[in-house]
């Protein structure tokens, strides 16, 4: 320790707190966060000012980047050269800034992630638009401060005629805070600012009519608008960005997905590596090759697909698993008077306008002072010209310039500045023409002074100047929007990655459910033995079978009158011989309850659809009820009451109608009733319903319900438990009032067994029949001819003595028919025509006079 020195003990915790706070503020203010006025961090501001110092403007030759970096380091930025060069490089990259401020020559990197060449190889100069950032900086428009060694002055902020913070955005990480501001379209921003100047009370939604959304340098799609709205209103928001893609047909005939624009800040090489990785890991199926044809003209990435791949599904998987879809998390934090603040859209515009207003005032004051100085000199020159002979005589007799100056001051009451200007005046200005020029200049400067004084006296004039300057900038630099906006986009959900294929859904009597691709079931001719369809326990059988698309909603109704919701794709997929999973694992169904009907609905979000469609329900005792679909459009995991079921009764079936259908109810005894659905008024969700049909006796019950919209093209199919069935014309069934006993629909005998199914079909439909032992057969309806209403029908499926039909499902629009009959259990081809009784219909000639 030096002699006379003194040691002061300091608490290390206090010292670390103070030192860290100082460090934090230094990072926040002097490094990481932009100033709200010019949108620049100190390093970017110093690069632009240093380049202006060197004179490398847009209309001059390039200079080596190393020289520019050295200029900035030596004068203004006492940090590493990498920070300066990297900042300058970013301001020159067209994929990084919406409006680049530096014009780079040489290798400045690429969107694929290639690094720029070393600074000794590249050159740079300012872009023309960067000159607008520095415009009028020498007119005392902004404050200056001493540089790091107090040898020079540097600007605290740039005049920034361009609203740079909104146009180019920025990002940075400070201590305890960060900023991430999106770029926007210059033309839209200027329109918004002008509108704000005209109406200071404008709301953010009104501003959004002009500034619609961020506009990213790489284009892409802004997917959804909620995040944009939130970011504009609060300064924070999550904006989803998607690549621009097209599905094309290659010359080879293969389908391919072509990407032409990618989201902002996505590294193209990383994107390709990520895609290759997940394709190899089998996270995405259907891609055979990924090729990159990108060049200076633009991006072109080609994903070649397999022949059986569904392009939309593959594309949605790419959006989910690769950077083809990313998010831009807006965090508008900037320095306002040296303090970090989170700013919404209106705040950003307000601070920019205030800054430009101050610049205009200071510039006008500067111009006014200069004009007054010039006017003062011109007035002195005019006095001299008016007394030219006297002035010349005074100067000639003076011993030296100082004596002449003092003589002019005292004789003509001039100021020292005016006297010096007269002495410095060249003789050529004594000519008549030069005298006229001085007088004209005096008039012009006098007029200018008056205008400048008017500007300083009127805020309206100053705001008009700002608007005029912005309009000029828009006309000169604005370009069309690059990022398109998909306003009504939904979030990417699981179903977007699942093909919307037709599925056969089966539910067993004991509640096992599964879905199987419809393609697994081959069409067979009438009378076939069928194929093994479901592996069930000895005492279980398929109770429900229907066809639905993967993206449909399932409304699952139970015998106790409750309804549950389930997406089709959430049902476990299995082969046609698999057992499935208990439905209790998928919905919260009670143990003593069981599924009775399933309605598949395309959507529950379309108001017009759900308000103009109805659910008609029937019970085993013949009760019927009609309720608008809207009452069942709000899914609840625990289910809700769909109908109040009376004691001793169970819900049997549910149908979806448009309000204009003919309703048929079939009894196990072989009778059916027909009436129009308008005879059943719409009821509330918890109502119990009204009488639809009256059973013949205590042991009789309803086995099915049919709702038919077009009676001209449809026919009624009935099937008995022993495999007999037929089709009859709708007109064979006369209309009666609801609640009656109906008419005969099938001649029931011990040979046919009781009625088990009633369906409305067309020639183009298919039929899927399942027995209690799990045997299935699929056939086309054109294999079953139209017969009389009271006939016994023909053998549709051969049923073993110990078996019986349990479920019949209609499959719409079957286009291909396989004639061969395949027994997958035995591996044999069975001829359906070996038994004459199976192909020749049993005819009942008993007439029906309406008195059965």
């Amino acid at each position: 320790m030096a002699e006379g020195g003194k040691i002061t003990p300091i608490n290390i915790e206090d010292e670390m707190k103070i030192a860290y706070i100082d460090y934090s503020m230094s990072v926040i203010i002097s490094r990481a966060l932009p100033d709200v006025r010019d949108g620049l961090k100190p390093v970017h501001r110093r690069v632009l000012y240093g380049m202006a110092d060197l004179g490398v403007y847009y209309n001059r030759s390039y200079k080596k980047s190393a020289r520019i970096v050295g200029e900035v380091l030596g004068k203004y930025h006492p940090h590493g050269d990498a920070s300066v060069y990297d900042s300058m490089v970013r301001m020159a990259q067209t994929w990084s800034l919406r409006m680049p401020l530096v014009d780079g020559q040489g290798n400045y990197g690429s969107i694929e992630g290639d690094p720029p060449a070393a600074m000794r190889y590249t050159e740079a100069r300012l872009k023309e638009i960067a000159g607008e950032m520095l415009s009028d900086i020498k007119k005392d428009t902004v404050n200056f401060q001493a540089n790091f060694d107090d040898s020079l002055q540097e600007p605290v902020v740039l005049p920034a005629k361009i609203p740079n913070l909104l146009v180019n955005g920025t990002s940075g990480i400070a201590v305890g805070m960060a900023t991430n501001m999106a770029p926007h379209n210059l033309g839209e921003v200027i329109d918004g600012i002008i509108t704000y100047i005209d109406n200071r009370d404008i709301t953010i939604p009104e501003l959004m009519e002009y500034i619609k959304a961020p506009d990213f340098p790489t284009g892409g799609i802004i997917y959804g608008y909620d995040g944009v709205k939130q970011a504009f209103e609060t300064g924070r928001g999550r904006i989803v960005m998607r690549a621009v893609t097209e599905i094309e047909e290659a010359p080879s005939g293969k389908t391919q997905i072509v990407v032409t624009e990618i989201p902002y800040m996505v590294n193209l090489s990383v994107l390709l590596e990520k895609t290759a990785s997940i394709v190899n890991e089998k996270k995405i199926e259907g891609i055979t090759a990924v090729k990159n044809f990108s060049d200076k003209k633009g991006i072109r990435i080609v994903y070649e697909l397999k022949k059986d791949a569904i392009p939309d599904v593959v594309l949605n998987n790419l959006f989910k698993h690769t950077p083809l879809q990313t998010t831009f998390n807006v965090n508008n934090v900037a320095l306002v008077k040296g303090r970090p603040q989170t700013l919404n859209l209106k705040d950003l515009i307000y601070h920019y306008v205030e800054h430009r207003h101050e610049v205009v005032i200071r510039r006008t004051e500067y111009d006014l002072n200069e004009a007054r100085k010039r006017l003062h000199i011109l007035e002195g020159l005019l006095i001299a010209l008016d007394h030219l002979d006297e002035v010349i005589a005074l100067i000639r007799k003076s011993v030296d310039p100082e004596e002449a100056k003092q003589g002019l001051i005292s004789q003509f009451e001039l100021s020292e500045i005016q006297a010096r200007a007269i002495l410095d005046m060249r003789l050529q200005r004594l000519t008549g023409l030069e005298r006229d020029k001085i007088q004209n200049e005096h008039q012009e400067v006098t007029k200018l002074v008056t205008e400048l004084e008017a500007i300083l006296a009127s805020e309206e004039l100053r705001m008009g100047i700002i608007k005029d300057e912005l309009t000029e900038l828009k006309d000169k630099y604005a370009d069309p929007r690059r990022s398109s906006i998909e306003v009504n986009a939904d979030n990417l959900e699981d179903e977007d990655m699942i093909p919307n294929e037709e599925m056969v859904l089966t539910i067993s009597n004991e509640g096992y459910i599964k879905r199987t691709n419809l393609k697994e079931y081959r069409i067979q001719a009438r009378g076939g033995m069928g194929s093994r369809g479901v592996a069930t326990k000895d005492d279980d059988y398929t109770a429900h079978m229907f066809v639905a698309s993967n993206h449909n909603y399932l409304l699952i109704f139970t015998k106790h009158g409750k309804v549950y919701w389930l997406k089709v794709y959430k049902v476990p997929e299995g082969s046609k011989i698999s057992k499935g999973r208990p439905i209790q694992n998928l919905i919260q169904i009670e143990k003593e309850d069981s599924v009775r009907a399933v309605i598949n609905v395309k959507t529950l979000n379309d108001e017009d659809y759900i308000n103009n469609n109805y659910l008609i329900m029937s019970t085993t005792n013949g009760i019927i009820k009609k309720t608008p679909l809207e009452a069942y459009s709000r899914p609840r995991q625990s289910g809700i009451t769909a109908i109040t079921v009376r004691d001793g009764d169970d819900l049997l079936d549910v149908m979806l109608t448009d309000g204009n259908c003919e309703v048929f109810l079939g009894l196990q005894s072989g009778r059916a009733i027909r009436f129009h659905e308008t005879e059943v008024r719409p009821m509330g969700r918890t109502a119990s319903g009204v009488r639809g049909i009256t059973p013949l006796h205590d042991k009789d019950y309803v086995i099915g319900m049919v709702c038919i919209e077009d009676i001209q093209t449809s026919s009624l199919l009935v099937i008995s438990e022993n495999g007999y069935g037929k089709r009859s014309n709708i007109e064979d069934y006369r209309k009666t009032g609801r609640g009656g006993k109906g008419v005969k629909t099938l001649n029931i005998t011990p040979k046919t067994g009781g009625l088990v199914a009633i369906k409305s079909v067309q020639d183009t439909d298919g039929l899927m029949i399942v027995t209690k032992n799990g045997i299935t057969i699929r056939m086309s309806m054109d294999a079953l001819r139209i017969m009389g209403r009271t006939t016994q029908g023909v053998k549709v499926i051969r049923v073993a003595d110990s078996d019986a039909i349990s479920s019949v499902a209609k499959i719409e629009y079957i286009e291909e028919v396989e004639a061969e009959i395949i027994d997958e259990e035995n591996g044999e081809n069975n001829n359906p025509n070996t038994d004459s009784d199976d192909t020749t219909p049993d005819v009942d000639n008993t007439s029906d006079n309406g008195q059965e």
Side-chain angles (χ1 to χ4, degrees), residues 561-573:
K562 292 199 72 175
V563 60
Y564 300 85
W565 291 264
L566 187 67
K567 281 281 191 178
V568 170
Y569 68 83
K570 291 187 177 180
V571 175
E573 187 172 4

Side-chain angles (χ1 to χ4, degrees), residues 445-565:
V445 175
T446 302
K447 182 180 178 183
L448 176 61
V449 169
T450 303
E451 292 175 352
L452 294 175
E453 289 175 343
I455 290 172
L456 289 176
S458 172
E459 181 178 349
E460 183 178 354
L461 288 178
R462 296 194 294 272
M463 290 300 170
I465 292 172
I466 296 173
K467 288 162 57 177
D468 292 342
E469 290 177 347
L470 287 172
T471 302
E472 291 176 7
L473 292 174
K474 179 183 176 182
D475 295 339
K476 191 172 184 179
Y477 300 108
D479 58 2
R481 163 174 281 279
R482 297 180 189 175
S483 297
S484 58
I485 306 169
E486 197 164 332
V487 177
N488 297 320
D490 296 324
N491 291 331
L492 199 63
E493 297 182 356
D494 292 341
E495 68 183 61
D496 297 319
M497 273 67 73
I498 298 170
N500 195 21
E501 297 177 327
E502 294 291 307
M503 292 285 172
V504 176
L505 279 91
T506 56
I507 303 175
S508 74
N509 185 55
E510 292 194 355
Y512 287 88
I513 186 172
K514 67 168 183 177
R515 62 186 170 100
T516 306
N517 199 304
L518 184 60
K519 296 176 183 177
E520 282 203 30
Y521 292 87
R522 304 180 67 188
I523 300 175
Q524 302 177 21
R526 177 178 62 81
M529 288 293 294
S531 61
R532 171 63 60 183
V534 183
T536 61
K537 296 189 295 184
D538 293 340
D539 56 348
D540 196 10
Y541 60 89
T542 300
H544 302 277
M545 174 177 285
F546 53 93
V547 178
S549 299
N550 267 332
H551 293 182
N552 286 11
Y553 269 105
L554 298 182
L555 272 63
I556 303 173
F557 295 84
T558 68
K559 70 176 184 179
H560 290 172
K562 292 199 72 175
V563 60
Y564 300 85
W565 291 264

Side-chain angles (χ1 to χ4, degrees), residues 378-391 412 430 435 439:
L378 291 172
E379 288 172 347
L381 294 178
L382 288 175
I383 291 173
L385 292 174
D386 289 339
H387 303 85
L388 184 57
D389 294 337
E390 299 173 51
V391 169
F412 299 103
L430 300 178
R435 178 185 176 90
Q439 287 177 337

